[in-house]
Amino acid sequence: MIYKKIAFFWAILISMVTQAQLSENSSVYLLTCDIGDEVYEQFGHSAIRLVDPVNDIDLCFNWGMFEFGDDEFEFNMKFAQGRLDYYMAVEPTEVFLYIYQQTQRKVFQQELNLTLEQKNKLFELLKENSKEENKFYKYDFFYDNCATRIADFVKLLLGENVVFAELEKETQQTFRQLIDKGFQTHPWTDFGIDLVLGYAIDQEVSNDEIMFSPIYMSRIFEDSKIKTSNGTENLVLSNEVIVEGYKRKETSDTFFTPLVATIFVIVVTVTLAFFKLEIAFKMWTSILFLVLGILGVLLLFMWFGTDHVATKGNLNLIWANPLLLVLMILIWFKKVHQRWSKIYLVLAFIMFALILFFLMLPQEFHPASRLLIINMALQFYVLHKFSLNKN
């Protein structure tokens, strides 16, 4: 209740100050917040800051807001399905910065080289966007987020007068490679994200697309140019750190990574097969088929049951397939097991072929996924050999 009262007070205050026209002393800044320790903070955050000391204005326009609501299950479902409404909030800068000061995340601001007319036009666009009927939007990590919204406003405001700098090295990478780099300190999260994302993100990003990342967008703005009445000038007039932070670690110190875990899986598979422990091997195989079958159900849901563009067309379903939930039961039926001898061999061949033609596929597989595919090939081949021994 107290938060709603504070929000109501801010709304009244902001409504009063936003009636004014900006003065010659006004400034517009791109705020970029550095990465944090939490998983959802690995790509930073962006906002627009507008300052006008004459009109006593110092506001942040923040597109990273969403409401949890009262129903936690409904919230989680909407988030998973890509149907959670985010919204743009207008708040005093000191309020916006408070969380970053508390968590010691660096925040820096870049003053944009805008005329007074452009500042007032941007102010009007921001006020229009902040209205109740306009502030909500469907968040998309790659194509519609806190950073892309700002880039879109700058493009709308400046049109052909802005010449964005090119990040040549970064734009030679795919979305997936950039994600992998961003989650180096969270290897299991990186593995999970790699599993649910389809081949749509295995394309090289364009200079426009890479601005989904607040950090990359700030780098682009820093070296961008703007055409003015005085000729071509820098888009950014100054760069200033307004919240000091500490440097986060760049790599994970976790030993038990997905790669280590999958190596362990292969070692167990090879050991049980080498000593021809058929019952133990089947039990081990059933456990793995159960896990991968459940994963396959999740991948199908993310493909067909959500609005996420990036989770469509996921080739991980070739090896992490819901049908494994059926196969984990059928391998225990003697007659079925014997009749499926050739099917096991075909499945082993498919897995081996998948290994051989990794580089020809439109989707890149995580290194741990590749080891799991190798393990699947071994499992099917060993099941084939065990089925022959029953004849």
Side-chain angles (χ1 to χ4, degrees):
M1 182 63 69
I2 185 66
Y3 295 111
K4 290 185 178 180
K5 289 182 179 179
I6 294 173
F8 179 69
F9 172 75
W10 284 347
I12 294 176
L13 180 63
I14 290 166
S15 177
M16 292 171 62
V17 300
T18 54
Q19 300 304 312
Q21 285 285 303
L22 300 176
S23 73
E24 290 283 355
N25 295 326
S26 61
S27 302
V28 176
Y29 301 93
L30 169 65
L31 293 188
T32 303
C33 310
D34 207 354
I35 64 172
D37 297 319
E38 302 298 328
V39 170
Y40 55 84
E41 297 172 342
Q42 295 308 296
F43 285 85
H45 186 50
S46 296
I48 289 180
R49 181 185 184 185
L50 197 152
V51 179
D52 187 355
V54 173
N55 288 297
D56 196 25
I57 294 175
D58 190 353
L59 298 173
C60 279
F61 298 82
N62 175 16
W63 285 266
M65 308 296 287
F66 57 85
E67 295 178 349
F68 282 96
D70 298 325
D71 190 329
E72 185 175 350
F73 176 78
E74 182 181 4
F75 170 82
N76 290 329
M77 282 300 296
K78 284 185 177 180
F79 183 81
Q81 292 175 307
R83 297 167 188 168
L84 181 66
D85 285 332
Y86 276 62
Y87 66 92
M88 187 259 263
V90 186
E91 53 192 347
T93 297
E94 61 183 65
V95 174
F96 175 84
L97 295 179
Y98 178 76
I99 185 64
Y100 299 101
Q101 293 165 342
Q102 294 301 304
T103 55
Q104 294 183 281
R105 286 174 64 188
K106 184 174 76 172
V107 180
F108 58 94
Q109 63 182 19
Q110 295 163 291
E111 184 178 359
L112 302 185
N113 187 3
L114 304 177
T115 64
L116 179 58
E117 180 184 355
Q118 290 169 336
K119 293 173 187 175
N120 273 302
K121 182 180 178 181
L122 177 60
F123 195 22
E124 291 302 318
L125 290 171
L126 293 172
K127 287 190 288 186
E128 183 67 23
N129 192 185
S130 69
K131 291 180 178 179
E132 191 68 22
E133 64 271 23
N134 299 330
K135 69 179 184 178
F136 293 96
Y137 71 102
K138 288 291 189 296
Y139 175 88
D140 185 287
F141 180 78
F142 295 107
Y143 305 110
D144 198 354
N145 64 21
C146 63
T148 64
R149 288 258 154 176
I150 293 174
D152 289 342
F153 268 100
V154 172
K155 293 172 189 174
L156 180 63
L157 179 69
L158 300 178
E160 295 181 355
N161 289 326
V162 62
V163 181
F164 287 117
E166 297 278 340
L167 294 183
E168 295 182 3
K169 182 179 178 181
E170 285 75 13
T171 52
Q172 293 174 3
Q173 300 179 67
T174 65
F175 281 115
R176 193 184 300 276
Q177 290 168 339
L178 293 174
I179 291 292
D180 289 342
K181 186 181 298 184
F183 284 107
Q184 286 180 348
T185 57
H186 299 271
W188 283 100
T189 300
D190 175 55
F191 181 45
I193 291 174
D194 245 355
L195 287 174
V196 301
L197 296 179
Y199 60 75
I201 69 160
D202 286 292
Q203 58 178 333
E204 289 188 355
V205 297
S206 67
N207 208 62
D208 278 348
E209 290 172 333
I210 204 171
M211 284 194 275
F212 82 91
S213 164
I215 306 300
Y216 288 134
M217 183 173 72
S218 70
R219 286 176 53 190
I220 289 175
F221 273 46
E222 184 67 29
D223 295 325
S224 294
K225 303 295 181 181
I226 183 172
K227 299 174 185 176
T228 70
S229 57
N230 298 322
T232 301
E233 300 179 359
N234 293 330
L235 175 62
V236 173
L237 294 174
S238 64
N239 196 326
E240 177 188 8
V241 175
I242 56 176
V243 175
E244 295 290 346
Y246 70 88
K247 185 174 177 59
R248 263 66 183 182
K249 59 182 181 180
E250 298 181 355
T251 56
S252 172
D253 54 8
T254 302
F255 169 76
F256 191 68
T257 64
L259 203 58
V260 172
T262 48
I263 290 173
F264 171 78
V265 168
I266 291 180
V267 168
V268 174
T269 300
V270 171
T271 300
L272 295 177
F274 180 79
F275 290 103
K276 298 181 180 179
L277 303 174
E278 184 172 356
I279 300 299
F281 184 87
K282 283 186 177 181
M283 292 177 63
W284 173 244
T285 297
S286 295
I287 292 171
L288 293 179
F289 282 2
L290 173 63
V291 173
L292 296 181
I294 293 174
L295 173 60
V297 172
L298 173 63
L299 299 185
L300 275 181
F301 168 75
M302 295 302 294
W303 185 339
F304 297 103
T306 75
D307 294 340
H308 297 294
V309 176
T311 59
K312 312 297 182 187
N314 195 337
L315 299 185
N316 282 310
L317 277 162
I318 297 174
W319 59 273
N321 196 292
L323 293 178
L324 293 174
L325 295 173
V326 178
L327 188 55
M328 63 173 280
I329 298 173
L330 294 181
I331 62 175
W332 292 99
F333 290 87
K334 182 178 178 180
K335 291 184 178 179
V336 174
H337 182 56
Q338 291 176 351
R339 291 172 183 171
W340 273 49
S341 177
K342 292 183 179 179
I343 295 178
Y344 291 144
L345 191 59
V346 170
L347 292 174
F349 176 78
I350 291 173
M351 294 300 120
F352 278 121
L354 195 56
I355 297 165
L356 291 174
F357 297 106
F358 272 144
L359 298 179
M360 297 179 64
L361 296 174
Q363 179 170 329
E364 182 181 346
F365 293 104
H366 190 282
S369 297
R370 299 180 185 185
L371 290 181
L372 284 174
I373 295 171
I374 292 173
N375 186 75
M376 291 284 288
L378 292 172
Q379 282 182 296
F380 285 128
Y381 181 73
V382 174
L383 285 174
H384 163 70
K385 298 295 289 184
F386 281 150
S387 67
L388 292 178
N389 294 336
K390 294 295 182 179
N391 290 330

